[in-house]
Amino acid sequence: LHKERISNMTLNEVRAQIDAIDPKIKELFLERMDASYHVAKVKFEAGETNIFRADREQEIIARLTDDVVPERKEEYTAIVRKVMEVSRKYQYGLMYDWDPELFTPLAEGIDIRPEHRLVKVRLTRPDVCNSMSSILSMIGDYGINMEEMRLLEINEETSTVTFELTIRGNLLEVPMRKLMFQLSKECSTFRILESF
């Protein structure tokens, strides 16, 4: 739709138009997730568990947003990033479902008990826009909350940031295990420090 056409519509007409658009977005999203499933399956069967490739995602974002008008580019970029984040979450979750032992090396040496309610991790990410907010968004997408986040280091030489996160949850729970697996794959360094 063009802005001029919408500006001549009543509020109810615009809402009806949105109601007609939303199912189309849903259909395309589900089609995108079907494609993501197949990517995960092919990689997993080849013994590959890396989904996240920052360089490829940046190329895709640049290509998809190249022709978007400036006043809508930031918003469209945010949508593309979110679709990619959700796709990665889905793919890593599938891989965990196919092989729950992917989590085991991450918890080596960690005392995990049913009564534990917090998990402390340390991770390093590139020091770029949206880097840590995507981690916080990821945690929320798993239905998990943060307790505390501490910046430990900004390394200008490597352009990275290191954080210590205390996350609410138990490492015996599948969503928390999936989150830990995804974090381990999307951070340059990742370590579970303790469960308590």
Side-chain angles (χ1 to χ4, degrees):
L1 287 176
H2 296 292
K3 286 190 279 187
E4 299 80 30
R5 183 172 157 216
I6 290 178
S7 66
N8 295 327
M9 298 169 99
T10 67
L11 182 58
N12 285 338
E13 289 171 331
V14 173
R15 286 180 175 158
Q17 190 65 46
I18 290 170
D19 290 343
I21 292 169
D22 285 344
K24 295 175 189 175
I25 294 172
K26 178 182 177 181
E27 184 178 335
L28 289 172
F29 173 78
L30 294 175
E31 189 176 331
R32 174 74 157 75
M33 290 301 104
D34 289 344
S36 294
Y37 174 92
H38 291 289
V39 168
K41 189 171 188 291
V42 168
K43 285 190 170 199
F44 184 78
E45 288 174 353
E48 175 64 51
T49 58
N50 289 321
I51 299 295
F52 182 58
R53 285 195 37 213
D55 57 337
R56 178 163 160 67
E57 289 196 5
Q58 287 306 318
E59 289 171 13
I60 292 168
I61 289 169
R63 179 174 39 84
L64 290 176
T65 61
D66 184 51
D67 61 348
V68 177
V69 293
E71 64 267 18
R72 294 184 179 178
K73 192 168 188 167
E74 284 182 12
E75 289 74 15
Y76 183 64
T77 300
I79 289 293
V80 171
R81 274 196 184 112
K82 190 61 184 179
V83 169
M84 290 177 168
E85 286 175 17
V86 170
S87 177
R88 292 193 317 268
K89 175 188 180 289
Y90 177 56
Q91 291 172 310
Y92 284 123
L94 288 168
M95 288 182 174
Y96 174 89
D97 290 340
W98 296 330
D99 182 7
E101 289 301 311
L102 290 168
F103 169 77
T104 302
L106 301 175
E108 193 173 307
I110 302 297
D111 179 31
I112 303 171
R113 298 182 187 186
E115 66 270 16
H116 289 174
R117 294 290 166 250
L118 297 170
V119 176
K120 188 177 288 188
V121 302
R122 181 174 295 144
L123 54 87
T124 301
R125 297 273 291 173
D127 189 11
V128 296
C129 179
N130 203 46
S131 182
M132 281 313 296
S133 62
S134 69
I135 293 292
L136 297 176
S137 178
M138 180 194 314
I139 292 168
D141 288 345
Y142 278 94
I144 298 170
N145 289 320
M146 285 281 302
E147 181 77 14
E148 182 182 8
M149 178 174 167
R150 289 189 321 128
L151 173 64
L152 299 179
E153 178 186 18
I154 299 173
N155 188 324
E156 293 181 15
E157 189 176 304
T158 61
S159 296
T160 58
V161 288
T162 300
F163 284 90
E164 192 172 275
L165 309 177
T166 303
I167 304 168
R168 295 183 196 165
N170 187 292
L171 289 173
L172 296 172
E173 298 165 353
V174 171
M176 182 64 94
R177 288 176 173 227
K178 287 182 178 183
L179 171 63
M180 296 296 113
F181 174 55
Q182 184 173 356
L183 286 171
S184 76
K185 301 307 265 180
E186 296 199 9
C187 299
S188 57
T189 65
F190 173 80
R191 198 172 103 205
I192 299 173
L193 300 174
E194 64 177 315
S195 171
F196 57 103

